[in-house]
Every structure is written in C-alpha cells, then in structure tokens.
Amino acid sequence: KAYSCEENCPTGALVRVNPREYFSEVKNTVGLIYKDQTHAIGRNIHKSDPLSTAWHIFGILLVAVLGGAALWGTIRYTQDAMLLPDSWLTMRWLTGLIGLLGIIWTMAYSFRKQVYRRRVGALRYWMLSHIYFGVLAGFVLLVHGGAKSGGLLTSLLMISFDLVIASGIFGALCYLIVPRIMTRIEGEPLLLEDLQARRKELRAKLTEITHHESEPKLRDLVENRVYPRFLSFTYLIRQFFEKEDLKSMLARAREEFKSATSELNPANRGRLMEAVESAATLRRVDALCYLHQLLKLWIAPHVLFTAMMLFLLVVHIVQVVYFNVR
C-alpha cells in the first residue's frame, strides 16, 4: 500500500511501518554499543531506498553528460554558428531549448505537490528530479547566456534565475543540515507549536521573577547578570555548535552562578537558580524554534524569484521568436 503521508513527504523522512514488527525488531537488536548518553552504534533497521540511489546516479550523469556536451559544443562551434547548412539551429538555440525543457520539468514538481490521491510516484523522487533538472537547466542556461548578459531584459532574467538557484540550494542545504542539528539539540522530536508554548511559559516565569518587587537584589542579579549571560547572541550560537545535553548545560549554568547565591537569603537562592535554568532553557528553545522556522524561511523568496524568472522568461521567448521570424 502507498500511504499518503509517506508518498507526499518531499524529503522521504516519513516511513510507514508496522509497529509490532518494527519495534519488536528494535527491541531484539543485539550488539548495541553506546558511545555516550545520546549516541549508540547498532544494526541498521531502516528500509533501504534503491530508487532514490538510482535517481542520484541518473541525476549526476545527466548533469555531467548534457552539461558537458553543451559546454563542449559551445566551445567547438561557438554560440551563433549554424550547426547544419541552411538551418536556424545554433548552439545558442540548442542550449536555450534544453534549458527551457529543464525548467518545464523542474516546474512539474510544483504541480505534483498539489496531488494527494492520483499521484505518479512518491514526492521525494520528484524532489530529486526537481533538484537535478534545476541544476542542469542552470548550467546549460549559463552556457546559453555566455560571457555577456545582453540587454536589460536578459540581464534581469539571468539575475532572477541566479536567485532561484541560490535560494533553492540554500533550501536543499537546510533540509540536509538543519534536521541533524535539531536532533543533536533536542534529543527527541518536538513540534514547533510545543516549543513555542514552552518558550511562552519560560518567558512568563522570568517575568514573574524579575517583577518580584520585594526582592530588588534578586531582580538586579537576574536583569544584569543572568539575562546578559544566557539571553545573549553568543549563547544562542553556542546551542548550534556545542554538543551538550540539557542536563549538563543546566548543571554548568547553575555552577556559574553558585557564588552569587551567597549574596541572597536562603529563600531567594532557589529563585535565582530557577531564573538561571529558565533563561538557559529558553535560549535552547529559541534555537530550536529558529531551526524550525529556517526550514520554511527560504520557501517564500524561492517562490517569488521563480515567479519573476518565469515572467521574464516568457517575455524573453516572445521577443526571441518575434525577432527571429521577422
């Protein structure tokens, strides 16, 4: 059976499994070696995806062969020399047509995303074709344009196409890198809505502590030492690059402010530690929220640049056909 959740996942991260078989196999896994508290080495129990591997091989060969042929032909025959006697076919026309076909196939991915029932293949394979045909079209059209950008229209077209490629590459890198960083930080999958709710709770807790009017010394410590330490940009960046579980991070945070508790009475020492833990946890939650949002942040510019590129492309094709016929 082809389940909609699995077939319409663009990255192939969703896999439909039989819980009884899957988790019993996990339970019976032997020879598990623990590297640390969050990493272990064991037998790979996940399903292989040979079709995805075939797409990667085909895509790499497609880009290498057609892209290399376009570059070789342009160097060999020049862009505007007739390839056949009494023919309109030149390398500029040929690379332009190949680039156009690549763009048309690339845009087919957008239509496939809207199909949930009568789909033709899993969306993750369409995503791979979208990437490889987009790379092919980008390289061939780069050869098509040559060293000179031409007039204003063609210059804007090439710039918009470059922006489409750049935003698409950024999105592909986000899909590749961001989930790995998120897994390392959170330990277990968390929804963005849950993270936002947790962030709201932590902010409310810190506001409650800092507005405790009867304890000015505690408020001063939190606002002038805890906030600058844990709510800083540096501490945020630290969440992305340093491998540290939440318990270890909180223990280190408490240790930093252990000496500051001597300035408070016993009743407020616990509140200071609570503020320290809340601020440190809040920054880790912020990091996870930013990573979740980064997975979607690139989509709007990518769609906008694509719309601009398609409009300019249509105008360019009409202009070229008109002057060629004329």
Coordinates of all heavy atoms in Angstrom, one line a residue, residues 46 53 75 89 107 112 114 132 154 161 175 184 195 213 219 234 240 320:
H46 N 16.5 0.3 9.3 CA 15.7 1.1 8.4 C 15.6 0.6 7.0 O 16.6 -0.1 6.6 CB 16.1 2.6 8.4 CG 16.0 3.2 9.8 ND1 14.8 3.7 10.2 CD2 16.9 3.5 10.7 CE1 15.0 4.2 11.4 NE2 16.3 4.1 11.7
T53 N 18.7 6.0 -4.7 CA 20.1 5.9 -5.1 C 20.2 6.0 -6.6 O 21.1 6.6 -7.2 CB 20.6 4.6 -4.6 OG1 20.5 4.6 -3.2 CG2 22.1 4.5 -5.0
I75 N 32.1 25.7 -27.1 CA 33.5 26.0 -27.4 C 33.9 25.5 -28.8 O 34.7 26.2 -29.5 CB 34.4 25.3 -26.3 CG1 34.1 25.8 -24.9 CG2 35.9 25.4 -26.7 CD1 34.8 25.1 -23.8
L89 N 19.3 26.2 -36.5 CA 19.8 25.6 -35.3 C 21.3 26.0 -35.0 O 22.2 25.8 -35.8 CB 19.7 24.1 -35.4 CG 20.1 23.3 -34.1 CD1 19.1 23.7 -33.0 CD2 20.0 21.8 -34.4
M107 N 9.5 22.7 -13.0 CA 8.2 23.3 -12.5 C 7.1 22.2 -12.3 O 6.1 22.5 -11.6 CB 7.7 24.3 -13.5 CG 8.6 25.6 -13.6 SD 8.8 26.3 -11.9 CE 7.2 26.7 -11.5
R112 N 3.0 18.5 -8.9 CA 2.9 17.2 -8.2 C 2.6 17.4 -6.7 O 1.9 16.6 -6.1 CB 4.2 16.4 -8.4 CG 4.4 15.2 -7.5 CD 3.3 14.2 -7.7 NE 3.5 13.1 -6.8 CZ 3.1 13.1 -5.5 NH1 2.4 14.1 -5.1 NH2 3.3 12.0 -4.7
Q114 N 0.6 19.3 -5.4 CA -0.8 19.5 -5.1 C -1.6 18.3 -5.2 O -2.8 18.3 -4.9 CB -1.4 20.6 -6.1 CG -0.5 21.8 -6.2 CD -0.4 22.5 -4.9 OE1 -1.3 22.6 -4.1 NE2 0.8 23.0 -4.6
Y132 N 18.0 18.0 -9.7 CA 18.9 17.7 -10.7 C 18.6 18.4 -12.0 O 19.5 18.9 -12.7 CB 19.1 16.2 -10.9 CG 19.9 15.5 -9.8 CD1 19.3 14.6 -8.9 CD2 21.2 15.8 -9.7 CE1 20.0 14.0 -7.9 CE2 22.0 15.2 -8.7 CZ 21.3 14.3 -7.8 OH 22.1 13.7 -6.8
T154 N 17.4 40.5 -20.6 CA 18.2 39.3 -20.4 C 19.0 39.4 -19.1 O 19.2 38.4 -18.5 CB 19.1 39.0 -21.6 OG1 19.9 40.2 -21.9 CG2 18.3 38.7 -22.8
F161 N 17.2 34.2 -12.4 CA 17.5 32.8 -12.4 C 18.5 32.4 -11.4 O 18.5 31.4 -10.8 CB 17.9 32.4 -13.8 CG 17.8 30.9 -14.1 CD1 16.6 30.2 -14.2 CD2 19.0 30.1 -14.1 CE1 16.6 28.9 -14.5 CE2 19.0 28.8 -14.3 CZ 17.7 28.1 -14.5
Y175 N 17.5 21.4 4.4 CA 16.9 20.1 4.6 C 18.0 19.1 5.0 O 17.7 18.1 5.7 CB 16.2 19.7 3.3 CG 14.8 20.3 3.1 CD1 14.2 20.2 1.8 CD2 14.2 20.9 4.1 CE1 13.0 20.7 1.6 CE2 12.9 21.4 3.9 CZ 12.3 21.4 2.6 OH 11.1 21.9 2.4
R184 N 20.4 16.7 17.4 CA 21.5 16.8 18.4 C 21.1 17.6 19.6 O 21.5 17.4 20.7 CB 22.8 17.3 17.7 CG 24.0 17.3 18.6 CD 25.2 17.9 17.9 NE 25.0 19.3 17.7 CZ 25.6 20.1 16.8 NH1 26.4 19.6 16.0 NH2 25.4 21.4 16.8
L195 N 7.2 23.9 21.2 CA 8.3 24.7 21.5 C 7.9 26.1 21.8 O 8.4 26.8 22.7 CB 9.4 24.7 20.4 CG 10.1 23.3 20.2 CD1 10.9 23.4 18.9 CD2 11.0 23.0 21.3
E213 N 8.8 42.7 43.3 CA 9.2 44.0 43.8 C 9.8 43.9 45.2 O 10.6 44.8 45.6 CB 8.0 44.9 43.8 CG 7.4 45.2 42.4 CD 6.3 46.1 42.5 OE1 5.9 46.5 43.6 OE2 5.7 46.4 41.4
R219 N 16.2 40.7 41.7 CA 15.9 41.3 40.4 C 17.1 41.9 39.7 O 17.3 41.8 38.5 CB 14.8 42.4 40.5 CG 14.3 43.0 39.2 CD 13.1 43.8 39.4 NE 13.4 45.0 40.2 CZ 12.9 45.2 41.5 NH1 12.2 44.2 42.0 NH2 13.2 46.3 42.1
T234 N 25.7 35.2 21.7 CA 26.7 34.2 21.8 C 26.2 32.9 22.4 O 26.6 31.8 21.9 CB 27.9 34.8 22.7 OG1 28.3 36.0 22.1 CG2 29.0 33.8 22.7
F240 N 24.0 25.8 18.7 CA 24.1 25.2 17.4 C 25.4 24.3 17.3 O 25.4 23.3 16.5 CB 24.0 26.2 16.3 CG 22.8 27.0 16.3 CD1 22.8 28.4 16.2 CD2 21.5 26.4 16.4 CE1 21.7 29.2 16.2 CE2 20.4 27.2 16.4 CZ 20.4 28.5 16.3
V320 N 12.4 36.7 -28.6 CA 13.3 36.0 -29.5 C 12.6 35.4 -30.7 O 13.1 35.5 -31.8 CB 14.0 34.9 -28.7 CG1 14.7 33.9 -29.6 CG2 15.0 35.4 -27.6

